[in-house]
């Protein structure tokens, strides 16, 4: 049933969803559920290479108020979208070229009914505060919230890992984005106050507390990104080509020594892509250890190297992201870490900032970013929250 949230904004979102539900459907919702967005501390473009990622679930997310229906119809009211209502039958799910947001619901339910045949329709109201297209996984939090709603409405035997796989399947097979498992898995299985080192090969994970003296500081460059439109799928293909070159299933199985030894036989661009992935895996693992030891100097270097690798080898940063990282790094020195986060091509940077330095970092961003790049930054001070299925 209705979940309690640590943050006041969540309870406001919950109330709003309930009110909207009553307006739309003239009755009280049977339940309200919630799934968080995420920020990735380190380990980007590694998940679809069977590698390591280190994300946390954040206190921005998607809330759904829901009730069962007797028939197979799904009626959705999406409060934050331009065209707000969509209706379809579970018996006939097809891609919607006009109302793109509805495809997340459709894709998720299409994947869900493959395993759970006996669900019926639902009335749904959706609202959320994850900025869209910012690289903070608004879509994964949407998918996981849908799955949480259906699993509660129909008492499904659905755990967090299975839910994450279904969400990923919706993206891969229906929406058309070949994303990895990170976003859905952390939205489902994040642990409050912790980051999660996830091994994307076998989906085992380990939580590490975020040291109490650090603040999760996120800046949206407000350069809009779209994973499907961007070169995301191309990057994935390039990685797969190198894995194939080595005769293995994923780049996870290739070491830096092996890669370097075969440099002459690999296209220079593909070589750089693979070097990023392999070195980034090592940085994610090292950062987990450093987090556990509150070893900020090591975290700082790892985040710096990660950004440089995403910029130079993987080529997914933008001048705005590079600029933000540079101005924040200058203030933080070895006392904190900063890098771009997520898929890239715009979106956000994430910084681990000693709480005593938050105001200073905020000032630097507010005084310089717009001046240099002509875009207003959005700053999110976040906490690590609990996943929907944990
Ligand atoms: C997007 C994808 C994830 C992951 C990141 C990059 O967020 O959805 O699966 O690949 O990009 O790390």
């Amino acid at each position: 049933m209705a979940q309690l949230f640590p943050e006041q904004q969540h309870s406001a979102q919950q109330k709003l969803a309930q009110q909207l539900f009553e307006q739309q459907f003239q009755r009280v919702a049977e339940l309200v559920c919630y799934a968080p967005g995420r920020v990735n501390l380190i380990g980007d473009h590694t998940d679809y290479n069977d590698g390591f990622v280190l994300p946390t679930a954040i206190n921005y997310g998607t809330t759904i108020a829901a009730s069962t229906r007797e028939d197979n119809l799904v009626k959705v009211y999406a409060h934050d979208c331009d065209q707000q209502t969509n209706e379809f039958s579970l018996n006939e799910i097809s891609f919607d070229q006009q109302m793109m947001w509805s495809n997340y619901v459709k894709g998720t339910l299409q994947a869900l009914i493959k395993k759970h045949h006996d669900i019926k329709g639902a009335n749904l109201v959706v609202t959320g505060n994850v900025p869209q297209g910012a690289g903070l996984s608004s879509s994964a939090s949407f998918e996981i919230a849908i799955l949480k709603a259906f699993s509660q409405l129909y008492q499904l035997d659905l755990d967090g890992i299975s839910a994450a796989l279904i969400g990923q399947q919706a993206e891969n097979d229906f929406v058309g984005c070949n994303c990895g498992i990170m976003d859905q898995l952390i939205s489902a299985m994040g642990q409050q106050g912790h980051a999660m080192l996830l091994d994307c090969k076998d989906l085992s994970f380990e939580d590490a507390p975020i040291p109490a003296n650090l603040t999760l500081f996120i800046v949206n460059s407000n350069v809009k990104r779209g994973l499907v439109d961007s070169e995301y799928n191309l990057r994935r293909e390039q990685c797969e080509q190198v894995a194939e070159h080595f005769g293995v299933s994923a780049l996870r199985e290739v070491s830096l020594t092996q890669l370097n030894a075969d440099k002459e036989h690999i296209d220079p661009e593909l070589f750089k892509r693979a070097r990023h992935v392999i070195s980034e895996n090592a940085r994610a693992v090292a950062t987990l250890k450093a987090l556990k030891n509150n070893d900020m100097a090591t975290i700082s270097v790892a985040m710096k190297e990660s950004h440089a690798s995403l910029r130079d080898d993987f080529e997914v940063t933008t001048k705005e992201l590079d600029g933000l990282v540079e101005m924040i790094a200058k203030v933080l020195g070895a006392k904190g870490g900063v890098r771009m986060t997520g898929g890239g091509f715009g979106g956000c940077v994430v910084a681990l900032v000693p709480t005593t330095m938050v105001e200073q970092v905020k000032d630097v961003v507010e005084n310089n970013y717009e001046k240099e790049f002509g875009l207003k930054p959005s700053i999110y001070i976040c906490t690590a929250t609990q996943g929907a299925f944990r």
Side-chain angles (χ1 to χ4, degrees):
M1 273 295 154
Q3 211 170 304
L4 284 179
F5 306 115
E7 315 291 333
Q8 276 190 333
Q9 56 182 350
H10 288 168
S11 65
Q13 218 180 78
Q14 194 177 12
K15 260 194 211 126
L16 175 65
Q18 275 163 332
Q19 279 165 7
L20 292 167
F21 193 95
E22 283 171 41
Q23 278 166 26
Q24 292 296 316
F25 299 109
Q26 285 78 51
R27 51 170 290 200
V28 176
E30 277 168 48
L31 61 86
V32 180
C33 65
Y34 173 85
R38 66 99 185 91
V39 70
N40 190 20
L41 298 183
I42 197 160
D44 270 315
H45 290 276
T46 45
D47 61 353
Y48 55 79
N49 290 296
D50 278 359
F52 292 94
V53 293
L54 190 66
T56 83
I58 56 174
N59 53 322
Y60 287 81
T62 305
T63 295
I64 293 186
S67 282
T68 51
R69 290 180 61 93
E70 299 288 312
D71 56 20
N72 279 340
L73 288 184
V74 177
K75 293 191 178 186
V76 200
Y77 172 80
H79 184 59
D80 315 304
C81 299
D82 289 342
Q83 293 167 287
Q84 294 175 315
T85 49
N86 192 276
E87 181 180 324
F88 63 94
S89 163
L90 287 173
N91 305 332
E92 215 186 308
I93 299 182
S94 59
F95 192 84
D96 191 328
Q97 296 288 353
Q98 261 76 50
M99 222 180 276
M100 283 308 289
W101 66 261
S102 72
N103 293 319
Y104 293 102
V105 189
K106 291 173 178 167
T108 302
L109 293 178
Q110 190 179 64
L112 180 69
I113 40 184
K114 279 189 193 144
K115 294 240 167 73
H116 299 268
H117 317 279
D118 38 1
I119 57 169
K120 285 194 172 297
N123 293 332
L124 307 170
V125 161
V126 187
T127 183
N129 61 356
V130 188
Q132 288 174 25
L136 298 177
S137 294
S138 56
S139 51
S141 90
F142 191 7
E143 291 146 12
I144 296 299
I146 299 268
L147 290 165
K148 181 73 182 176
F150 272 80
S151 88
Q152 289 188 322
L153 286 176
Y154 291 106
Q155 282 97 45
L156 304 179
D157 180 17
L158 185 67
D159 61 37
I161 303 228
S162 312
L165 288 165
I166 290 173
Q168 184 195 19
Q169 203 184 331
E171 295 269 359
N172 293 173
D173 300 348
F174 199 85
V175 178
C177 173
N178 275 329
C179 67
I181 191 69
M182 166 170 67
D183 307 346
Q184 290 79 9
L185 204 132
I186 188 69
S187 176
M189 295 300 285
Q191 164 88 305
Q192 188 168 358
H194 291 66
M196 168 197 279
L197 183 79
L198 169 66
D199 181 341
C200 300
K201 185 174 173 182
D202 61 9
L203 304 188
S204 60
F205 57 81
E206 183 180 348
D207 300 315
I210 297 181
N213 60 321
L214 294 180
T215 293
L216 269 179
F217 188 99
I218 298 171
V219 188
N220 188 353
S221 66
N222 285 318
V223 175
K224 283 270 176 235
R225 62 188 268 282
L227 277 185
V228 184
D229 300 335
S230 73
E231 298 198 37
Y232 183 91
N233 291 350
L234 172 65
R235 291 298 183 284
R236 183 170 182 157
E237 275 165 39
Q238 291 176 322
C239 293
E240 284 164 1
Q241 277 177 46
V242 184
E244 208 173 296
H245 169 89
F246 283 99
V248 293
S249 57
L251 274 182
R252 161 72 175 276
E253 314 303 335
V254 181
S255 71
L256 216 44
T257 318
Q258 270 176 299
L259 181 73
N260 285 326
D262 223 16
K263 188 170 183 181
E264 282 154 47
H265 303 115
I266 302 170
D267 169 90
E269 188 170 286
L270 296 192
F271 176 83
K272 288 202 296 179
R273 303 293 188 253
R275 183 167 58 189
H276 162 72
V277 173
I278 297 168
S279 61
E280 184 79 350
N281 277 334
R283 286 186 287 269
V285 173
T287 303
L288 174 85
K289 192 168 165 220
L291 211 50
K292 284 183 176 166
N293 298 330
N294 203 350
D295 171 5
M296 200 57 214
T298 301
I299 296 173
S300 184
V301 171
M303 290 178 86
K304 184 177 177 197
E305 287 177 359
S306 167
H307 185 83
S309 177
L310 286 156
R311 181 189 62 212
D312 303 333
D313 276 356
F314 220 65
E315 298 182 274
V316 293
T317 70
T318 63
K319 61 180 190 314
E320 293 85 357
L321 290 172
D322 296 342
L324 276 170
V325 164
E326 204 179 306
M327 65 184 76
I328 295 172
K330 222 181 260 170
V331 187
L332 287 176
K335 294 186 190 136
V338 58
R339 58 185 282 282
M340 68 146 260
T341 183
F345 307 106
C348 290
V349 306
V350 61
L352 280 172
V353 176
T355 305
T356 50
M357 294 181 77
V358 165
E359 283 310 311
Q360 215 181 327
V361 176
K362 220 171 150 192
D363 284 351
V364 164
V365 172
E366 280 167 354
N367 296 334
N368 297 292
Y369 181 66
E370 191 179 1
K371 232 186 266 165
E372 259 182 69
F373 297 101
L375 287 164
K376 280 202 192 311
S378 309
I379 295 175
Y380 304 96
I381 308 286
C382 289
T383 52
T385 58
Q386 194 83 357
F389 284 82
R390 189 88 183 246

